[in-house]
DNA sequence: ATTCATTTGTGAAAATTATCACGACTATTT
DNA sequence: AAATAGTCGTGATAATTTTCACAAATGAAT
């Protein structure tokens, strides 16, 4: 929308900062330094200061950052004032786990609808979220821009096409399939098998005392 | 262990390449170009060639790569000849989903033991994996070097300490807690809430036609 | 008032990662 | 045998990200 000059690496860390600031605020702390923050979120303090600096001078030299101010700032930056609705496609093992998880308390993102091809699941309700049959996508997806994909890998491509047709703009893809989408659709992959395998690879091939990821 | 000159970014992509080569091989293909590979895994073809080149000249100019040869090469690079045992700590919503998932067929990584604090879960068996009480960690963790952490965030720090004492070297952490570990322990975080939140942030703040992540 | 210990914000440098672009080589077709 | 289309490996360059290191500002202590 606006300031696209914020590095992607920074943007990815924002939700992490936001969550931690929330914790601090709830603990009643009203002041925090980049050093403390660094120890808590395991990000170098210079990186944190640099990240914050993209948004202007948010702190005070010799003092640190005011928790409440910073929190308020991030709340609006991350659009936490308006709720984002998310659909979950594929109510299986993984999908069910997500539905049963209140997706972060300090967070205005909600899974509000589930979809599955299994007719026995349609009409049920998991963790307070109604499940619809996948054929009802068109009627029920109105106004939802983000989808979580937890269907079998073989279905990923065809479901993605449907989602795109229904106007979905962002997909969080948990299937191992690398889906194809038009230019303007954003896909983030979370590939659990790859993560596990690369962890094992790092263990075996990288010196034990190297810097952490 | 050996060639630590391989960039971390490359190392993270290896399992992805490996999986796709496996697919190709099972489809009976015996030749593949960096361009084809690129379309399938959505990584720039020059990046793929560069990645491969860290391991030497694996392909042939004007021809491409021999699938079987490349696959064999990656199999040994990723240590797929020996099975890696993994323990899962916290058999709740997320943990149960993982246990029910045969963690990739073409893959020698296996979750072989589960642990939970709930006495009702101890002694059971989920997806073929035996569940033990968390107090049995010491007796049952022998020889296991990697753990998946799916306990409540509040327990993350204390469980981590126990795991480290038992000689665990790598942890795949699904809790929102940023755990502290000694220098020589490797931790990879998968923070689902952060992933979802950052996807939403990107959608709202980055031009729709920008390059994909 | 002055000193002192802190801590930010940032210019500059370093490190890492991705991409361009082309010479060298291969297989295939004519 | 020559021409053609395809493809790798890589030097060079560009882009991105992280880190260093310090002047300037702050609040607390004496
Ligand atoms: N469970 C895990 O631990 C895990 C780990 C890594 C990756 N994954 C990936 O996540 C995805 C889901 O895994 P899972 O274990 O939950 O699988 P699952 O089989 O338990 O669930 C898949 C669900 O999708 C539904 N479905 C099938 N076709 C559909 C369609 N066309 N439209 C809508 N719904 C459809 C099924 O009815 C089922 O409920 C898979 O792609 C899997 O590879 C899972
Ligand atoms: N479920 C999700 O979709 C989701 C999404 C994002 C993050 N997470 C995170 O993953 C973790 C697990 O989530 P969940 O939904 O599976 O929670 P859950 O409450 O369903 O499961 C946690 C399990 O850990 C066990 N446990 C508690 N204390 C323990 C201890 N000291 N030792 C061993 N086991 C213990 C509990 O008995 C329970 O079975 C949490 O930290 C959560 O924040 C979950």
């Amino acid at each position: 929308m606006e300031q696209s000059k914020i590095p992607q690496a920074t943007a990815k860390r924002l939700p992490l900062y936001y969550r931690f600031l929330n914790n601090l605020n709830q603990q009643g702390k009203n002041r925090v330094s980049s050093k403390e923050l660094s120890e808590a979120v395991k990000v170098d303090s210079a990186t944190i200061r640099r990240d914050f600096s993209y948004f202007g001078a948010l702190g005070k030299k010799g003092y640190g950052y005011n928790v409440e101010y910073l929190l308020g700032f991030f709340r609006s930056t991350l659009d936490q004032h308006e709720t984002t609705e998310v659909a979950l496609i594929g109510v299986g093992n993984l999908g069910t786990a997500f539905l049963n998880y209140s997706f972060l308390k300090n967070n205005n993102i909600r899974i509000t609808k589930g979809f599955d091809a299994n007719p026995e699941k349609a009409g049920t309700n998991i963790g307070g979220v109604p499940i619809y049959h996948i054929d009802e996508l068109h009627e029920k997806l109105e106004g939802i821009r983000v989808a979580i994909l937890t269907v079998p890998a073989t279905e990923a491509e065809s479901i993605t096409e449907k989602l795109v047709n229904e106007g979905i703009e962002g997909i969080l893809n948990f299937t191992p399939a690398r889906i194809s989408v038009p230019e303007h659709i954003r896909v983030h992959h979370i590939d659990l098998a790859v993560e596990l395998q690369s962890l094992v690879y790092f263990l075996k091939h990288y010196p034990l005392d190297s810097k952490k990821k």
Side-chain angles (χ1 to χ4, degrees), chain A residues 20 32 61 76 85-86 88 90 104 122 127-128 135 145-146 159 169 176 187 209:
Chain A
F20 190 70
V32 69
K61 301 184 178 187
S76 61
E85 291 190 32
V86 175
L88 182 136
L104 206 56
D135 292 343
R145 298 167 59 200
V146 180
I159 293 287
E169 295 164 29
V187 179
D209 60 311

Side-chain angles (χ1 to χ4, degrees), chain A residues 94 98 148-151 172-177 188-192:
Chain A
L94 206 52
F98 293 163
I148 298 176
L149 200 58
T150 48
V151 296
L172 194 57
N173 176 26
F174 284 90
T175 80
H188 284 200
H189 295 274
I190 301 188
D191 196 320
L192 303 175

Side-chain angles (χ1 to χ4, degrees), chain A residues 155-179:
Chain A
E155 305 292 320
E157 197 68 53
S158 70
I159 293 287
T160 298
E161 205 174 314
K162 284 186 198 164
L163 290 174
V164 170
N165 285 341
E166 296 301 336
I168 287 286
E169 295 164 29
I171 297 176
L172 194 57
N173 176 26
F174 284 90
T175 80
R178 263 20 199 191
I179 55 186

Side-chain angles (χ1 to χ4, degrees), chain A residues 14 23 39 47 109 135 142-143 185 190 194 199 211:
Chain A
L14 296 182
N23 291 348
E39 275 151 26
T47 301
I109 297 178
D135 292 343
E142 184 89 45
I185 309 287
I190 301 188
V194 163
L199 173 63
K211 291 163 294 174

Side-chain angles (χ1 to χ4, degrees), chain A residues 206-213:
Chain A
Y206 284 74
L208 289 173
D209 60 311
S210 76
K211 291 163 294 174
K212 264 152 285 148
K213 190 222 111 166

